Amino acid sequence: MKICCIGAGYVGVPTCAVIALKNPQIEVTVVDVNQARIEAWDSDKLPIYEPGLKEIVDEVRGKNLFFSSDVDQGIEKGSIIFVCVNTPTKLSGFGKGFSADLKYIETATRRIAKVAKSDKIVVEKSTVPCKTAESMRAILQAGSQKDVHFNILSNPEFLAEGTAIPNLLHPDRILIGCLETKSGMKAAATLADVYAAWTPREQILTLNLWSSELSKLAANALLAQRISSINSLSAICEATGANVNEVANACGLDSRIGPKFLQASVGFGGSCFQKDILNLVYLSESLHLPEVAEYWRQVISINEYQKMRFVRRVVSCLFNTLDGKRVALFGFAFKKDTSDTRESPAIALCKYLLAEGAKISIYDPQVEAGQIYLDLSDKTADICTDAYGAATNAHAIIICTEWDEFKDTNLDYKKIYDSMVQPAFLFDGRSIIDSERLCKIGFHVESIGKEAKVPSSSFTHRHQISQSF
Ligand code: UDX
Ligand code: ADP
């Protein structure tokens, strides 16, 4: 059997690398129109950082995992075609800002229709709005050569960046959506066999095509909703003296609620959550369900509010002006263990800080300087090679990403404190440091969802701050 994957990105490559590893008898080829990306996958420096991925790619590349920019040949040879292209939010036209832009899916689907000379199972892996499979079927049927048959399956990906490899190796479940026809069920069984090489059968669910498509949006919306819920509570904690970590822990111990995804933060980011909720909002509006649309829209609103609220706290603490002051950002990726910056809360924070006249220094262990400049559409930020360099001469530090190296057990915060302008402020947007301990060093510490920790010598200052809120 041969599998072809269209799209050599965050979804396509980790998925195919694991499929190739676990199915040595299957030849897997990942194709992409972006020649540079394909070359990078064939080199020693992979284009994305994902723990554990390089080891697997090194093991299977050239054996049964191949990268190629010859999209047509890949399609021709594969009997199963995974469509893993990007589906960004539309920037103009109907549904602008909400609906998914399906142009890449459509181009890839038209290519499959044109090139295929034998029957194919086409697997929709990119996150797509409900009923996209139907559009794909229409394109495939209209554009294909005579006697070529296609079965379309929805097989959404639940991998989270930073943990993609363990998520793929030990999935909670695999969804395979298919039409309830004989050939649809047969195609689903063929794909199920690929996953069954390492996943217990009872975790592979075959379901209705549209349920499968909606389940992906629904799972992401429910997860993001949990974060917005805890983030909304973090605002109450800061105002009352409650501690959001204690609240999250207390609630998470209720087995009906559970402990995961209750980590208060400066806001959620990533390529999926916002996009998928916007998609759900658009879908609800298209179905004339404005109340449902409004309900999900609130999850995004709280996320925007959380980022703005955090910067307001920074401005307020720094005596209501950032003009000319240096602010160091620890972390730029949307979460730890990834180089991905898509929708990273750090981008919004930087834009607010720049608008306030701050000078910013940024250090992230994995994000390249060029990517940061691109995200900020601004070249004035100083990109540093370590946390110490970023903090030197800064008035404040903001922890934006929860990289382990920023924990107070891993960085010399005394050295950092000594290199900063006094009074030195530390804003922990991820609640990863021991604020008590850093306060003892001399920092004025403000953590998400917690009261400020102010060194005793600056009591008056604290009093002024609470008045200015
Ligand atoms: C998500 C889904 O988890 C995954 O199943 C889906 O396939 C793609 O979208 P991802 O975006 O890679 O994965 O990361 P995730 O771990 O879900 O984190 C998303 C954002 O939420 C990050 O910015 C993260 O920092 C934030 N987050 C997560 C919190 O702020 N608090 C939490 O408790 C958890
Ligand atoms: P994701 O996070 O969904 O994997 P990425 O942007 O990382 O998204 O990857 C999607 C990849 O799909 C990109 O490398 C892009 O070049 C590729 N792509 C988009 N359209 C096509 C197409 N028609 N044919 C081949 N590759 C495509």
Side-chain angles (χ1 to χ4, degrees), residues 310-329:
F310 191 72
V311 178
R312 279 222 178 115
R313 201 170 166 193
V314 175
V315 176
S316 171
C317 285
L318 290 174
F319 316 101
N320 286 313
T321 175
L322 296 186
D323 202 27
K325 292 180 183 165
R326 182 162 294 281
V327 178
L329 267 80

Side-chain angles (χ1 to χ4, degrees), residues 169-299:
L169 290 173
H170 311 285
D172 287 343
R173 76 306 202 188
I174 300 285
L175 299 189
I176 303 182
C178 64
L179 283 182
E180 283 138 4
T181 59
K182 212 172 149 199
S183 69
M185 302 293 272
K186 195 169 158 232
T190 306
L191 183 60
D193 286 345
V194 173
Y195 287 104
W198 77 96
T199 310
R201 286 274 178 190
E202 59 276 15
Q203 276 161 248
I204 306 176
L205 262 62
T206 304
L207 69 171
N208 165 304
L209 200 51
W210 323 127
S211 303
S212 172
E213 286 182 338
L214 183 58
S215 298
K216 167 75 192 208
L217 295 187
N220 278 347
L222 289 167
L223 288 168
Q225 181 199 41
R226 265 174 90 91
I227 303 170
S228 276
S229 299
I230 198 71
N231 282 348
S232 77
L233 292 168
S234 75
I236 298 183
C237 290
E238 287 164 32
T240 56
N243 177 326
V244 76
N245 293 356
E246 290 177 356
V247 174
N249 185 40
C251 294
L253 285 170
D254 184 328
S255 59
R256 294 167 302 174
I257 299 171
K260 294 182 181 163
F261 264 70
L262 287 178
Q263 175 68 50
S265 65
V266 70
F268 60 75
S271 68
C272 285
F273 282 178
Q274 170 154 318
K275 185 182 81 173
D276 290 355
I277 294 171
L278 291 172
N279 237 307
L280 207 55
V281 169
Y282 188 70
L283 177 72
S284 310
E285 272 168 0
S286 315
L287 297 171
H288 307 291
L289 301 168
E291 290 83 359
V292 179
E294 197 42 43
Y295 178 76
W296 288 109
R297 208 194 298 269
Q298 278 306 312
V299 174

Side-chain angles (χ1 to χ4, degrees), residues 50-81:
E50 186 62 55
L53 177 61
K54 182 151 188 343
E55 290 78 352
I56 298 183
V57 168
D58 282 347
E59 194 169 333
V60 288
R61 189 174 50 192
K63 264 194 212 155
N64 65 330
L65 177 69
F66 301 93
F67 295 97
S68 165
S69 52
D70 190 341
V71 178
D72 289 1
Q73 197 193 52
I75 295 171
E76 242 179 84
K77 288 203 308 194
S79 55
I80 300 182
I81 319 264

Side-chain angles (χ1 to χ4, degrees), residues 14-181:
T15 309
C16 285
V18 169
I19 289 179
L21 181 76
K22 296 293 182 181
N23 291 277
Q25 77 290 3
I26 300 180
E27 185 182 306
V28 185
T29 305
V30 185
V31 298
D32 202 298
V33 284
N34 182 339
Q35 173 107 32
R37 213 167 198 193
I38 289 296
E39 280 166 15
W41 282 117
D42 261 332
S43 76
D44 266 349
K45 169 112 177 67
L46 303 187
I48 65 174
Y49 172 69
E50 186 62 55
L53 177 61
K54 182 151 188 343
E55 290 78 352
I56 298 183
V57 168
D58 282 347
E59 194 169 333
V60 288
R61 189 174 50 192
K63 264 194 212 155
N64 65 330
L65 177 69
F66 301 93
F67 295 97
S68 165
S69 52
D70 190 341
V71 178
D72 289 1
Q73 197 193 52
I75 295 171
E76 242 179 84
K77 288 203 308 194
S79 55
I80 300 182
I81 319 264
F82 284 115
V83 179
C84 297
V85 301
N86 37 336
T87 50
T89 304
K90 269 181 91 170
L91 295 176
S92 61
F94 295 116
K96 167 184 163 186
F98 285 91
S99 127
D101 191 338
L102 297 180
K103 69 178 173 216
Y104 302 107
I105 293 261
E106 183 168 340
T107 310
T109 311
R110 285 188 187 278
R111 208 65 224 160
I112 300 171
K114 185 146 193 279
V115 170
K117 296 197 186 79
S118 56
D119 294 355
K120 309 277 176 207
I121 296 173
V122 179
V123 184
E124 173 192 86
K125 254 205 169 302
S126 315
T127 311
V128 289
C130 285
K131 299 257 169 182
T132 301
E134 199 160 85
S135 315
M136 289 171 78
R137 187 151 49 111
I139 294 170
L140 289 171
Q141 274 173 359
S144 62
Q145 302 180 20
K146 243 175 91 200
D147 298 330
V148 174
H149 298 282
F150 297 100
N151 271 294
I152 299 161
L153 302 175
S154 155
N155 172 219
E157 192 53 76
F158 291 102
L159 61 84
E161 288 171 34
T163 53
I165 299 304
N167 295 152
L168 282 158
L169 290 173
H170 311 285
D172 287 343
R173 76 306 202 188
I174 300 285
L175 299 189
I176 303 182
C178 64
L179 283 182
E180 283 138 4
T181 59

